[in-house]
C-alpha cells in the first residue's frame, strides 16, 4: 500500500504541475492577445479557471497521499 500511495502521489504532482502550467499559459494568452474576438477571450478564461482548479485539486490529492503514506 505504501508503494501505491507513493506512485499516486507522484502522478498527482505531475498532473498538477501540467495543469498549473496550462493555466499560466492561458492566463498569458488572455492578457496579451490584442486582436481576438470575445468568444476566444471567454474560452481562454474558462480554460484558465478550470485548469487552475484541477491543478489545485490534484496538488491537494498528492499531499493527502503523502500524508497518509507517512502515517502508515
Amino acid at each position: 500500500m505504501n508503494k501505491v500511495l507513493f506512485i499516486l502521489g507522484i502522478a498527482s504532482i505531475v498532473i498538477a504541475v501540467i495543469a498549473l502550467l496550462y493555466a499560466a499559459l492561458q492566463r498569458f494568452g488572455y492578457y496579451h492577445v490584442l486582436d481576438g474576438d470575445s468568444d476566444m477571450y471567454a474560452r481562454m478564461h474558462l480554460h484558465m479557471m478550470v485548469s487552475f482548479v484541477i491543478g489545485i485539486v490534484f496538488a491537494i490529492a498528492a499531499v493527502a497521499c503523502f500524508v497518509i503514506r507517512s502515517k502508515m
Side-chain angles (χ1 to χ4, degrees):
M1 190 65 175
N2 262 348
K3 203 178 251 189
V4 173
L5 285 173
F6 183 70
I7 292 171
L8 282 175
I10 295 294
S12 295
I13 286 175
V14 169
I15 293 170
V17 167
I18 290 171
L20 291 172
L21 285 174
Y22 184 72
L25 179 67
Q26 291 298 316
R27 183 182 186 278
F28 181 80
Y30 181 77
Y31 285 112
H32 289 89
V33 171
L34 300 176
D35 58 349
D37 57 345
S38 62
D39 182 48
M40 185 181 72
Y41 284 109
R43 192 174 57 245
M44 281 181 164
H45 190 265
L46 177 68
H47 286 197
M48 176 179 61
M49 298 309 282
V50 168
S51 61
F52 183 72
V53 169
I54 288 172
I56 296 298
V57 167
F58 274 100
I60 291 171
V63 169
C65 283
F66 288 129
V67 167
I68 291 171
R69 182 179 173 266
S70 70
K71 298 288 182 182
M72 293 179 89

